[in-house]
Amino acid sequence: MVERRLDIKGQVDLTGGADASQYRVEVRDPRDDRVLGRGTVDDQGRFLVRLVNPDHAPHPAQTKHELAKRHHGISRLFGLHDVEEKLLSLATGDLVEAGGEGSVAADELKRDLHRLRADVAHFVSLAPHFAAAAEGRAPSREHANLEVHIHHRDDRGGAALVHPLAVTAEHDALDLGALGRIEASHDPDHWAYDPDDDFPRRKWGKQKVDSPVFSEGWTIAYLRFLTERRVPTLLKPYGVLTKNFLHKDELRDYWSFKMDMLCLPGIATVFEDNRAAQACFPGNASQKAKAELGVRFLPDDYLVTRLLQGMHPVMFRTSTVAGADLEVGFSWDAYEQGTDLTLNNVTAYFAFAGDPAEMPALAFIDVDGTRHTPTGNTATWDEWNWAKYQFMVSVFLAGEADSHLTRAHLNMEQYAVPMMMHLSADNPMRQVMGPHLRDVWGINNFGTILIFGETGVLAKSSALTARGVRDRLKDCLGGEDWRGYHPRAPLCDAHDYAHAANVFWSVAREHVEEWFAEHWDIAPDRDRARWWQEIERFSRDLVAHAVPYVPTYGGGEGLLGHTECAPGTDRQGRAKTGAVSGLETLDDVFQVCTYVLFHCTMLHDWSNDRQFADGGDLYHASLGLREKQPPTDGDWEAWWARAEPPPGAAAYTLFLSYFLSNLRWGYLLGRPPEEAAERTDHVDHDEEKQIAALLKVMHMPRNGGPSAAELLEGWGQPLDNIRARINT
């Protein structure tokens, strides 16, 4: 018999007088929570758990049965038992365009589809146990998921706190490294700030993803995206998308994959012109509106509608310019720009025609100091349509950078890190925030590559350099604070975002207060004292790692929606240095919980799910053009041929806006069956209770009228379209 041995080693930081005898270590099988081995911590904080012939490697016959059962379950869940045939039927148009059956391009497409099927089979084989056991081989270098639980007996309450850490057995001796000082439910090496990042973000070690529910579930949603939506030729069309995605050494490492086909120049090699790229995607909101109206350029009121209802609900300011009541401006001079694409400073001015409850009209647009006035021309390029396009470039870029990436993704990670570091699992504050924050660090790590890093879409498809992007994000984050936050008041009846946001906020606050009444108010004094000490540590880290305060949109008088902007002074009226305020009262805790819940659900999904609607038509908006000024000879068509976005950058933008808008996973309502099927003990089952409590409040009639769920649907944000957490 081949002896199988696995050493699990690590170290706990005992500085500060911690008692080693209060710690014990267990290694468990996550499938059934069986204890496979135990160890203690010595006076230097070291521990060793040795597994010899571990019995968590299943019998070969059992393994084969489980693999077959798992394969059948996944195939049933998203119809992959005939994936090649299904994708071939979806790609019929591609086969015709490629030259028909028997052509070289068609044969290449078939090979790609066959590769996808192989990828799916490989994904299935990465079940959380020793796959090699099916062949009777020693599993020392195969794929096995274990859990290390570090228990610490808390002197204050005497409760045993469990610290799970998932481990993949890739080596005979696996060194976990220094786990650091254990506080509450925190493994600080696993949860620590990255000192090299410009933002308060998590430091990543070897392990890229904690939650197998999220990693497997997100992957399943991704595979369903491939089979249920006609992913275009852009991806060549399916095999390229899966290359280097599922063939990783371990399933949980999928966050660290390099999506070669998504990073330029990968996509740039696929298309020679933008028409080919645009034709690969279904019509978005602006294209459908053009078709209905029979125009090439949309009328002015469409632009105003998108400012009130689109992916970037802009912050209006009262205007002192003659002929205007409101204005919205974007200045990019402070941010480093490259030489390939251009970006203009632009301000649009609006005027109320009469009744302030009606939507304001677009009055004129100032581009780099030159005023342009409406012409009513919807058929051809002219300087007015050029000015509107320049304005939409800024709206789309700010929508991605400000609304989506900063206010949702980066803003919420700065709350997730201290939550995981300091709040124990039974702390009501973590119970409220945890289900909504639990994926943000993973998707942000993904986004570093794909969205806002050196190879990200903002640096590659806009005029901003990677440094310019990060400076913009940092300035925007500097204007975000939970203290005093409340969604803006509606500007008019058509201001769908403001109406929906206010209803959702009020329900979220009501839910938070009810949760604390049921879990905090009735708790023993010793638990509340312990929870408050954890909250104080959470608050200290939140404040200490915040970026410097920067006034939102430059601050100043007349900014509507100022209740969404970070206050410039602290509670004592002194000028702030850091953006985020500390927590001092239980009412502050309610406010932070409401703020986090709102941003992880309503605010994020409003922006994320409208990316393709506003950015999926290159002839309506893009992230940048190649020429800064209009033509001097009046030949607009020749100008557009020179100025339009480069095909690679354009295709990159189109795909990401389409992909992120359409990846379906983790919703408040209607959890898909595959998500339930993939649940494991890693998920805190109180999450279900918390979300159920929130939904109960959502469906209650309000003041004798419609429920919040009914109101949200009327304002374009039905409850079943809202994710429970940030995962796209």
Side-chain angles (χ1 to χ4, degrees):
M1 178 180 179
V2 179
E3 181 178 281
R4 301 189 296 271
R5 190 187 77 179
L6 182 66
D7 288 344
I8 307 295
K9 299 188 297 181
Q11 183 161 348
V12 175
D13 186 356
L14 298 179
T15 57
D19 186 351
S21 66
Q22 291 187 333
Y23 293 90
R24 60 185 176 85
V25 181
E26 294 178 344
V27 177
R28 298 187 181 189
D29 185 332
R31 294 175 299 162
D32 53 15
D33 207 33
R34 282 182 298 139
V35 177
L36 305 174
R38 291 184 173 90
T40 57
V41 177
D42 66 19
D43 291 340
Q44 282 74 47
R46 298 171 300 190
F47 66 82
L48 168 66
V49 180
R50 174 162 293 172
L51 306 181
V52 179
N53 294 326
D55 61 0
H56 67 290
H59 186 275
Q62 178 188 0
T63 301
K64 292 179 180 178
H65 173 73
E66 289 186 3
L67 283 176
K69 182 178 179 181
R70 185 176 177 83
H71 190 288
H72 172 75
I74 291 179
S75 296
R76 175 182 56 79
L77 289 170
F78 44 77
L80 292 176
H81 57 284
D82 59 346
V83 63
E84 187 170 338
E85 292 76 8
K86 184 171 183 179
L87 291 179
L88 276 172
S89 66
L90 289 172
T92 300
D94 295 332
L95 286 174
V96 173
E97 295 170 9
E101 292 287 348
S103 68
V104 174
D107 289 341
E108 181 180 343
L109 172 61
K110 287 184 177 180
R111 285 195 299 272
D112 287 340
L113 297 176
H114 182 74
R115 174 64 179 273
L116 174 60
R117 185 167 190 153
D119 286 338
V120 173
H122 185 73
F123 164 70
V124 171
S125 72
L126 294 179
H129 53 63
F130 287 123
E135 301 176 13
R137 292 186 284 111
S140 60
R141 294 188 182 275
E142 300 299 331
H143 307 287
N145 290 334
L146 306 173
E147 281 187 346
V148 176
H149 287 242
I150 301 174
H151 300 256
H152 176 238
R153 186 154 297 280
D154 188 340
D155 287 336
R156 293 183 298 274
L161 304 179
V162 180
H163 310 264
L165 180 66
V167 179
T168 298
E170 293 182 330
H171 307 287
D172 293 332
L174 184 65
D175 191 347
L176 301 182
L179 290 176
R181 176 174 48 90
I182 291 181
E183 288 186 88
S185 57
H186 166 46
D187 300 323
D189 183 59
H190 193 46
W191 279 103
Y193 287 97
D194 187 345
D196 300 321
D197 203 300
D198 295 334
F199 304 97
R201 297 184 63 190
R202 177 188 177 179
K203 179 181 179 181
W204 287 91
K206 293 181 179 179
Q207 186 181 339
K208 297 297 183 184
V209 171
D210 326 88
S211 170
V213 173
F214 180 62
S215 58
E216 291 188 26
W218 196 92
T219 306
I220 290 172
Y222 167 83
L223 290 172
R224 292 193 68 187
F225 173 81
L226 294 184
T227 60
E228 294 181 358
R229 299 180 182 275
R230 185 177 177 273
V231 182
T233 312
L234 161 63
L235 308 175
K236 279 202 160 182
Y238 308 104
V240 178
L241 193 60
T242 58
K243 181 181 180 183
N244 294 329
F245 186 76
L246 298 175
H247 289 284
K248 301 303 292 182
D249 288 339
E250 51 178 304
L251 177 62
R252 293 167 191 259
D253 196 34
Y254 87 129
W255 278 125
S256 65
F257 72 90
K258 302 299 183 183
M259 295 184 77
D260 297 336
M261 62 6 130
L262 291 183
C263 297
L264 293 177
I267 280 182
T269 62
V270 178
F271 291 107
E272 295 180 357
D273 62 70
N274 287 334
R275 288 183 178 84
Q278 187 73 68
C280 283
F281 295 90
N284 78 335
S286 60
Q287 289 172 310
K288 292 175 182 177
K290 290 176 188 177
E292 291 176 1
L293 297 172
V295 299
R296 184 180 177 187
F297 296 92
L298 288 164
D300 301 344
D301 60 353
Y302 182 87
L303 182 149
V304 181
T305 300
R306 298 314 295 172
L307 299 182
L308 299 170
Q309 303 173 5
M311 74 164 291
H312 183 40
V314 299
M315 201 80 76
F316 288 87
R317 184 188 298 273
T318 56
S319 181
T320 58
V321 175
D325 298 310
L326 305 170
E327 61 185 61
V328 174
F330 300 94
S331 177
W332 304 99
D333 291 341
Y335 307 106
E336 183 181 81
Q337 300 181 27
T339 57
D340 295 336
L341 294 166
T342 66
L343 190 58
N344 298 74
N345 296 327
V346 57
T347 302
Y349 295 87
F350 307 84
F352 288 109
D355 187 353
E358 296 181 358
M359 188 172 67
L362 182 57
F364 46 90
I365 297 176
D366 183 301
V367 182
D368 287 333
T370 301
R371 178 177 295 191
H372 302 270
T373 55
T375 63
N377 177 17
T378 59
T380 60
W381 277 106
D382 62 12
E383 291 206 5
W384 176 242
N385 286 324
W386 171 83
K388 287 199 297 182
Y389 193 97
Q390 293 294 340
F391 182 70
M392 287 307 300
V393 167
S394 285
V395 170
F396 187 31
L397 179 55
E400 290 290 4
D402 303 357
S403 287
H404 184 210
L405 296 178
T406 303
R407 295 197 174 94
H409 284 261
L410 293 174
N411 188 21
M412 288 300 97
E413 187 169 0
Q414 73 175 334
Y415 291 86
V417 175
M419 179 194 76
M420 295 300 294
M421 291 176 65
H422 299 300
L423 303 186
S424 58
D426 65 340
N427 192 314
M429 188 178 186
R430 177 166 172 172
Q431 289 176 338
V432 170
M433 299 192 305
H436 309 290
L437 288 172
R438 71 176 175 91
D439 289 339
V440 68
W441 51 86
I443 197 66
N444 285 1
N445 189 51
F446 179 46
T448 299
I449 300 172
L450 209 58
I451 309 296
F452 48 83
E454 295 286 344
T455 57
V457 65
L458 295 185
K460 294 298 184 180
S461 298
S462 81
L464 299 179
T465 64
R467 181 72 259 171
V469 170
R470 293 186 76 83
D471 287 345
R472 175 72 179 195
L473 300 180
K474 190 173 182 179
D475 283 354
C476 187
L477 190 60
E480 298 299 311
D481 189 8
W482 60 267
R483 185 166 68 89
Y485 184 94
H486 192 283
R488 69 195 71 176
L491 183 67
C492 59
D493 291 343
H495 203 172
D496 286 2
Y497 171 76
H499 288 296
N502 276 274
V503 168
F504 196 100
W505 177 273
S506 64
V507 171
R509 175 68 185 226
E510 182 179 340
H511 159 67
V512 168
E513 292 184 4
E514 288 184 1
W515 185 268
F516 271 78
E518 295 173 3
H519 295 81
W520 179 287
D521 292 354
I522 64 174
D525 289 343
R526 67 180 186 185
D527 284 345
R528 286 187 289 180
R530 171 170 59 87
W531 292 338
W532 189 256
Q533 290 176 339
E534 294 171 358
I535 291 170
E536 288 178 331
R537 293 196 294 268
F538 166 92
S539 176
R540 284 196 296 269
D541 259 345
L542 182 68
V543 173
H545 291 87
V547 300
Y549 167 73
V550 176
T552 305
Y553 293 112
E557 297 295 326
L559 187 64
L560 305 181
H562 60 88
T563 57
E564 296 184 12
C565 305
T569 58
D570 62 17
R571 286 182 169 90
Q572 287 72 43
R574 299 170 300 197
K576 288 171 62 176
T577 54
V580 184
S581 303
L583 288 72
E584 297 182 2
T585 67
L586 193 57
D587 191 69
D588 291 346
V589 175
F590 297 164
Q591 174 74 2
V592 170
C593 288
T594 306
Y595 180 81
V596 166
L597 198 162
F598 174 83
H599 280 70
C600 287
T601 53
M602 171 70 198
L603 183 142
H604 170 260
D605 272 24
W606 188 281
S607 181
N608 180 83
D609 289 1
R610 288 163 174 78
Q611 289 178 88
F612 189 68
D614 285 348
D617 177 4
L618 296 174
Y619 308 102
H620 174 68
S622 67
L623 291 175
L625 296 177
R626 287 181 285 187
E627 291 206 0
K628 192 175 181 69
Q629 299 299 329
T632 56
D633 59 2
D635 190 344
W636 283 98
E637 299 306 322
W639 169 84
W640 176 252
R642 299 190 306 269
E644 65 180 328
Y652 197 16
T653 304
L654 288 172
F655 171 72
L656 285 179
S657 63
Y658 180 70
F659 175 63
L660 295 175
S661 297
N662 287 284
L663 190 69
R664 304 297 183 185
W665 184 255
Y667 283 83
L668 284 172
L669 284 178
R671 290 177 175 271
E674 68 275 11
E675 184 169 358
E678 293 300 321
R679 292 183 62 83
T680 73
D681 289 339
H682 290 77
V683 176
D684 182 355
H685 293 289
D686 281 340
E687 171 183 330
E688 296 292 345
K689 298 178 182 178
Q690 192 271 133
I691 292 178
L694 171 62
L695 294 176
K696 180 181 177 181
V697 181
M698 284 285 180
H699 287 288
M700 292 176 58
R702 303 189 62 76
N703 301 319
S707 66
E710 293 171 316
L711 292 171
L712 289 170
E713 185 166 5
W715 286 312
Q717 191 71 347
L719 203 55
D720 56 3
N721 274 1
I722 301 178
R723 294 172 184 82
R725 53 194 184 271
I726 296 176
N727 59 21
T728 54

